[in-house]
Amino acid sequence: FINLIERITYQKWNINIIIAIQYSFKLQTIALVDSGTQTNCIQEELIPTKFFQKTEQKLSTANSDNLRVKFKISDVHICNEGIYIKQSFILIKDNLDIGIIIGQPFLEIIKPFKVTNERITSKLFQQKIQFTFNEKPITKEVNLLKTLSIFKKYYVNLIKTKENHFYFMKQEVSNKKLEQQIQTSQIKEKINSLKHNIINNICSYLPDAFWHRKRYMVSLPYEKDFTK
């Protein structure tokens, strides 16, 4: 599939926003709009603790790593050109790449919306609103990706070959060590002793190796004046 693509273009939807909590706290910062995030998230350290509300919600990353979540804030408004869009946020204890992530709950409110390379545009309460992106789209040639893909496959195969070679060398070294140990006088003496025991006790014409496998003690009654 990668051989059919000549170039790729990607863009981070970073926007400038102002959030207000209970109309007594305002924060102007940069947020990432992510259509793949099911919940709005915000770095815990950005919000005063007096607004924290306990929550039992669980949250994980795209890699299925659990995030540390204990609190949420429900009375939050995203301000844009005089329009206040009410949202709730989960407070994340872990470090995020960006302080605020706006996800699907926000996008559901501003539907239908239009996305261009410059901004997100929508209409809310009969008024046009827009969120301008801070970064321009980035285009990269896929030839580099093709080269990296080929080299990756080559080096993976090379590593597997080296691993197999190393395994056989390890087995050979182990066998050599075993041969050297067998040649020592102490091991030879034990082998010869075992050999003689096998010859004398098992391979002889009158083997006695199994004579004592089953032995029983029998007590006979004692009768006084018994002569037979």
Side-chain angles (χ1 to χ4, degrees):
F1 175 73
I2 196 172
N3 293 325
L4 302 177
I5 304 175
E6 294 182 355
R7 64 181 62 88
I8 57 173
T9 300
Y10 62 92
Q11 182 181 24
K12 289 185 177 181
W13 290 2
N14 290 337
I15 61 173
N16 295 321
I17 65 166
I18 298 175
I19 64 170
I21 304 176
Q22 298 179 5
Y23 301 102
S24 62
F25 173 80
K26 284 189 176 182
L27 174 66
Q28 184 173 357
T29 184
I30 297 175
L32 170 66
V33 180
D34 187 354
S35 60
T37 302
Q38 297 180 350
T39 308
N40 299 324
C41 307
I42 189 168
Q43 194 82 47
E44 187 177 289
E45 62 187 20
L46 297 177
I47 305 299
T49 56
K50 65 180 181 179
F51 299 113
F52 288 10
Q53 300 171 330
K54 288 188 176 181
T55 182
E56 298 295 330
Q57 286 184 259
K58 304 295 182 182
L59 203 61
S60 60
T61 65
N63 298 327
S64 300
D65 296 329
N66 292 327
L67 295 171
R68 292 179 293 171
V69 175
K70 290 184 179 180
F71 304 101
K72 67 177 181 178
I73 45 175
S74 55
D75 190 8
V76 184
H77 289 83
I78 297 175
C79 311
N80 181 279
E81 299 178 3
I83 296 178
Y84 292 81
I85 305 171
K86 187 174 182 179
Q87 293 285 283
S88 61
F89 284 81
I90 297 296
L91 297 174
I92 306 298
K93 186 74 173 178
D94 305 85
N95 290 327
L96 301 174
D97 292 335
I98 192 166
I100 299 178
I101 299 177
I102 300 174
Q104 295 174 9
F106 171 76
L107 296 176
E108 288 292 331
I109 293 293
I110 66 172
K111 274 186 176 180
F113 57 87
K114 180 181 178 181
V115 180
T116 64
N117 291 339
E118 290 78 26
R119 62 185 61 87
I120 300 174
T121 306
S122 182
K123 195 172 185 180
L124 205 61
F125 306 122
Q126 303 300 318
Q127 184 176 343
K128 182 180 178 180
I129 59 172
Q130 61 182 16
F131 298 90
T132 303
F133 298 136
N134 294 342
E135 299 181 12
K136 294 181 179 180
I138 299 175
T139 300
K140 285 190 175 182
E141 298 293 332
V142 184
N143 290 333
L144 176 60
L145 296 178
K146 291 180 182 179
T147 304
L148 292 176
S149 177
I150 293 172
F151 272 100
K152 179 181 178 181
K153 185 177 180 180
Y154 168 75
Y155 281 111
V156 166
N157 292 333
L158 181 62
I159 290 172
K160 288 183 178 179
T161 303
K162 294 297 183 182
E163 286 178 346
N164 292 334
H165 182 63
F166 178 75
Y167 172 77
F168 287 118
M169 287 183 62
K170 186 177 179 181
Q171 289 294 109
E172 186 175 352
V173 170
S174 178
N175 293 336
K176 288 291 184 182
K177 287 183 177 180
L178 183 59
E179 289 180 2
Q180 292 176 358
Q181 291 176 354
I182 291 176
Q183 298 302 321
T184 61
S185 59
Q186 186 177 4
I187 298 297
K188 282 185 176 181
E189 184 179 348
K190 289 184 178 181
I191 292 174
N192 290 331
S193 175
L194 178 61
K195 178 181 177 181
H196 290 311
N197 285 333
I198 292 174
I199 293 173
N200 295 331
N201 298 327
I202 298 178
C203 300
S204 66
Y205 290 106
L206 296 173
D208 60 356
F210 307 107
W211 283 5
H212 304 296
R213 288 180 62 187
K214 293 183 179 180
R215 295 194 301 179
Y216 303 93
M217 294 183 64
V218 179
S219 60
L220 299 175
Y222 174 74
E223 295 289 341
K224 189 177 181 180
D225 299 328
F226 184 75
T227 59
K228 291 186 179 180

